[in-house]
Amino acid sequence: MDRFIINGGTKLVGTIEVKGAKNAALKAFAVALLSKEPVRIRNVPEVEDIKRMCEILKNLGAEIEHVKDGEYLVKAVKLTNYIINPDIAKKLRASIVLTAPLLARLGKVKFPHPGGCIIGERPIDVFIDGYKKLGAIISQKEDLYEISVSNKLKGAKFIFPNISVTGTESLVMAASLAEGETILKNCACEPEVESLIEFLNSCGAKISGAGTHIIKIKGVKTLKGGTYTIIPDRIETGSFAIMAASTTSILKITKCNPGHLECLWVIFEKMGIKLEYGKGWVKILPPKKIVSVSIKTREYPGFPTDLQAPFSVLLTQAEGLAMVHETIYEGRLNWTDELKRMGANVLNLDPHRIQINGPAKLRSREVESPDLRAGMAYIIAALCAKGESIINNIYQIDRGYEKIEERLQKIGADIKRI
Ligand code: EPU
């Protein structure tokens, strides 16, 4: 098992490039299954979750050509299997979005409860209820769900009880090939959802309302192929910005879209962290003293839950008392137990809220990465701590950050993989 060895306490310097958004790229592979024509996907991050997604697609009968680094060509002329490989799906929450193309094209799909990061209960009721509204029948045998439709999915009205990113993406995809009109309310507005809809429309889908809470879809018979260029990863951008601020380093982040992180920049301003930005780049200019600011995670355009862990590390380096309120997932603050052992002054109030009193001198330590974003938080904490830290279970980090150690070495981080 690979692990990272990090010697902290040094400043970062220079420029770092952002890769394509993992959470957009994973769904692009599902979109590619909706069409019988080839779909080229560009700016794909070369991460473990993408490899797992490709394995599932091949198992369903799609042909995948890895054209070059970051570029894939998917041909799904014929789908030969309607079972999403349970062993892989249990590792990958995003596998749930494959239910949409399989239902739309084959009229049936079998899958297990999807896995992924252990950050909370992560139910799938909105998918089940949504597909039922579109006319599907659901059954569950042993560990597998089966969803089927007698003829074609039929347009319907559906209100999401909770805002769900993958739920919105799945129902939009399924409704694109359904008969008639579908109206979805309380949809997710994340840039990854908006980008997916723009691509679907370029393939001939008729969808309006992308980036808003109400989306209307007029079903079409077939979709064409095309080229889908993945948007920059806003979570990676935010993680690097937070890393720079936590280590009081001046860092330029390029190939990103600063407009997708307005909420973080407003908080940075309140903390006294200066930034310069332009089209496709942002430069972080942290002061010596950073002021603490409380945050509450929210759906887009609010503070992203995926940045909660890295941001909490920043709060350990800021002056004053701040509250972190994680509203999306009930298990996403558990990682802070190790942060406390690194010397952070963290008080757990309940499963959704912690208080952080800073600044604290973090101590190096051996930790275990429980999930992707907590793994990034430990990297940042280890870069702040003097001495050698070890991060185990870095498969979790490799799931979403491409060759992270090589990219961090280039900006002066003392990190190696062993
Ligand atoms: N929810 C339900 N029922 C459902 C689905 C979701 O109650 O059927 C609840 C969840 O329990 C949670 C909330 O709705 O409280 C939001 O969950 P959502 O469905 O939006 O999460 P997701 O679509 O599974 C995506 C990202 C996550 C990111 C969240 C929130 C992908 C593959 N994953 O998850 O990314 O945290 O949206 O923005 O797109 C990550 O990349 O580290 C990650 C966990």
Side-chain angles (χ1 to χ4, degrees), residues 216-242:
K216 288 188 186 162
I217 305 122
K218 282 193 182 132
V220 294
K221 287 215 162 68
T222 52
L223 290 172
K224 293 181 295 182
T227 299
Y228 188 167
T229 304
I230 302 303
I231 57 171
D233 197 316
R234 65 194 163 93
I235 304 305
E236 193 171 86
T237 308
S239 304
F240 293 153
I242 290 168

Side-chain angles (χ1 to χ4, degrees), residues 22-24 26-27 49 93-97 117 119-128 161-169 188 190 192 234-235 298-300 304-306 327-330 332 371-373 399:
K22 166 192 78 94
N23 286 344
L26 286 168
K27 320 323 168 28
D49 273 9
R93 168 82 183 177
S95 59
I96 186 88
V97 296
C117 291
I119 51 182
E121 203 187 317
R122 308 194 84 181
I124 60 162
D125 53 302
V126 304
F127 299 83
I128 303 284
N162 283 318
I163 296 184
S164 165
V165 173
T166 42
T168 304
E169 292 164 331
E190 269 67 4
E192 294 77 19
R234 65 194 163 93
I235 304 305
R298 286 278 179 221
E299 292 86 7
Y300 189 83
T305 170
D306 294 342
T327 69
I328 314 282
Y329 297 111
E330 66 281 6
R332 218 175 201 182
D371 70 76
L372 169 63
R373 309 301 174 189
R399 282 184 48 212

Side-chain angles (χ1 to χ4, degrees), residues 94 232 265 282 288 338:
W265 309 142
V282 60
K288 278 216 173 75
E338 289 284 14

Side-chain angles (χ1 to χ4, degrees), residues 245-246 248 264-274 285-295 311-323 356-359:
S246 306
T248 52
L264 179 65
W265 309 142
V266 169
I267 288 166
F268 267 20
E269 204 181 310
K270 284 193 192 163
M271 299 175 96
I273 303 164
K274 292 207 167 45
L285 305 156
K288 278 216 173 75
K289 258 192 196 169
I290 298 172
V291 184
S292 274
V293 171
S294 295
I295 56 148
F311 190 83
S312 300
V313 177
L314 173 59
L315 286 177
T316 68
Q317 303 306 295
E319 202 136 309
L321 187 68
M323 166 103 79
I356 301 179
N357 204 353

Side-chain angles (χ1 to χ4, degrees), residues 83-139:
I83 304 170
I84 301 176
N85 184 310
D87 292 336
I88 310 175
K90 282 181 186 160
K91 287 188 195 153
L92 187 69
R93 168 82 183 177
S95 59
I96 186 88
V97 296
L98 297 171
T99 52
L102 289 170
L103 253 188
R105 288 222 9 220
L106 301 179
K108 56 183 177 176
V109 55
K110 237 183 191 178
F111 62 102
H113 196 95
C117 291
I118 304 155
I119 51 182
E121 203 187 317
R122 308 194 84 181
I124 60 162
D125 53 302
V126 304
F127 299 83
I128 303 284
D129 295 346
Y131 288 139
K132 269 189 195 163
K133 276 271 178 201
L134 295 179
I137 300 160
I138 324 282
S139 63

